[in-house]
Amino acid sequence: MASYRKKLKQLGCPELSVNTSTHSRYAVVKKPHKAELNYLPPHPEGQTAESLEQICEELLGDVYIRDNLRVVNEKMATTFSIRRQEIVKESLAVDVLMLRWPALFHVTQIKEEFKRLTAVDLESTFIGNLDKVMANLLGLFHAKGGIAGYKIRETMKLLDQDHGVDIRREVVIRCLIVYLSENIEDLIEHYQDTTAVEDIAEHSLKIITRGGAPDGTPFDAEIVLDGIRVLGGLSSLMSPCISLFGLIYSLDLCYPKGLKYTFEFFQKVLLNLVQNCHQRFYH
């Protein structure tokens, strides 16, 4: 494998050459660490940086055309390589990426980008595996003692009422965070008053929820990254959790220090993404 990687680097494989010590300009670029299969792919055959830039400019208009999902998806797939080079090598800020790649911040394209990176279907795999381990997790939660156990049991009282499968999944996610000795408030901040105005500039990575009261106030959730609303209008907690995880991969972000174990559980248990040399391949 070492010889194979050396030959690929000599041929200009971006994922290998970008981290070589002989390229001091890119020496600080981190390597894939979350089991990405296509972390920094080469350009598609027959495409150049100039031709991909032209498609990128076309996308800026295509994304606002109604019922244009197929065209947007095809062009996003074609420009995947140049987008990854900008994100990994240049570490563009979130606000710049929103201007340059607005389609990347739509729910559909978040899932598609995650699949391009990992070859895993984000939503179906996440929810499917969560449902599979839900019974085992609930058993662990019931057995938890101490202050964490008290907080978990208070949260699990919601399961005594028939709120449907979405609420059960939400309760499990909340209890999981506490079980892993992390704070729910580091990930989710709730405002019962839907008219409340908060200072989102102080949030580097957060899910903000509003409403959802018994009086019929509709539930609404949004994602904030680097003090910017990047995605809103989400109607359940599961949707922003899944989309946020997809954005972490798409934008090459590190897991927040205070939520490291929660996101590693999402990655390794719910999505079966484990860093392993035998999993990786190169085109």
Side-chain angles (χ1 to χ4, degrees):
M1 285 300 296
S3 177
Y4 178 57
R5 289 169 62 87
K6 181 178 180 180
K7 291 178 180 178
L8 285 175
K9 184 167 66 176
Q10 292 172 344
L11 291 172
C13 178
E15 187 171 324
L16 295 174
S17 60
V18 74
N19 285 292
T20 182
S21 59
T22 58
H23 291 69
S24 58
R25 178 183 175 187
Y26 300 136
V28 296
V29 176
K30 67 179 187 296
K31 300 180 181 180
H33 62 285
K34 299 192 292 291
E36 299 98 331
L37 293 178
N38 294 303
Y39 182 69
L40 194 62
H43 294 325
E45 186 175 352
Q47 297 285 356
T48 64
E50 291 74 20
S51 64
L52 293 174
E53 179 63 30
Q54 183 176 351
I55 298 175
C56 171
E57 293 175 1
E58 294 172 0
L59 265 169
L60 295 176
D62 291 336
V63 70
Y64 298 109
I65 299 176
R66 179 180 294 183
D67 299 327
N68 202 32
L69 181 60
R70 183 183 61 82
V71 173
V72 170
N73 191 53
E74 289 176 354
K75 292 184 177 180
M76 286 290 286
T78 302
T79 56
F80 177 58
S81 60
I82 192 172
R83 184 165 56 255
R84 290 302 296 174
Q85 289 192 17
E86 292 178 0
I87 290 172
V88 174
K89 291 183 179 180
E90 300 177 28
S91 300
L92 297 181
V94 171
D95 56 346
V96 176
L97 287 169
M98 289 188 72
L99 291 174
R100 180 154 172 79
W101 301 101
L104 189 58
F105 296 87
H106 290 198
V107 173
T108 301
Q109 279 306 313
I110 291 172
K111 298 173 188 176
E112 291 294 334
E113 191 80 350
F114 187 85
K115 195 169 186 177
R116 295 179 193 114
L117 282 163
T118 65
V120 172
D121 190 294
L122 175 59
E123 184 172 22
S124 63
T125 305
F126 189 102
I127 292 178
N129 285 332
L130 178 61
D131 290 345
K132 287 180 182 178
V133 302
M134 186 178 294
N136 290 336
L137 288 176
L138 290 174
L140 290 173
F141 299 157
H142 279 295
K144 185 70 172 178
I147 296 176
Y150 173 78
K151 292 180 179 179
I152 287 174
R153 282 185 284 277
E154 286 297 304
T155 303
M156 290 179 67
K157 287 180 180 179
L158 288 172
L159 298 178
D160 297 335
Q161 308 171 32
D162 185 13
H163 287 291
V165 67
D166 285 339
I167 295 298
R168 290 181 63 84
R169 291 167 179 160
E170 176 183 336
V171 168
V172 170
I173 292 297
R174 289 179 178 273
C175 291
L176 174 68
I177 296 172
V178 178
Y179 185 83
L180 295 173
S181 301
E182 296 177 336
N183 295 319
I184 296 176
E185 294 76 16
D186 288 344
L187 177 63
I188 305 163
E189 187 160 337
H190 183 69
Y191 293 87
Q192 197 62 61
D193 183 3
T194 58
T195 62
V197 178
E198 75 288 347
D199 184 11
I200 65 171
E202 63 185 27
H203 301 311
S204 59
L205 186 150
K206 184 83 71 169
I207 295 173
I208 295 178
T209 61
R210 305 174 187 276
D215 60 7
T217 306
F219 181 89
D220 181 74
E222 58 191 27
I223 297 174
V224 175
L225 292 176
D226 289 348
I228 301 170
R229 286 189 182 90
V230 298
L231 191 62
L234 304 172
S235 58
S236 71
L237 184 62
M238 287 305 301
S239 183
C241 276
I242 293 171
S243 295
L244 176 58
F245 191 82
L247 282 169
I248 287 175
Y249 269 71
S250 298
L251 306 183
D252 199 33
L253 304 177
C254 295
Y255 296 147
K257 185 177 180 180
L259 294 165
K260 175 185 176 182
Y261 299 120
T262 297
F263 282 107
E264 284 188 348
F265 183 92
F266 292 170
Q267 173 194 329
K268 297 176 181 179
V269 178
L270 300 186
L271 290 163
N272 297 321
L273 292 171
V274 181
Q275 190 68 34
N276 187 312
C277 63
H278 297 294
Q279 283 186 301
R280 300 188 53 73
F281 63 89
Y282 301 91
H283 297 290

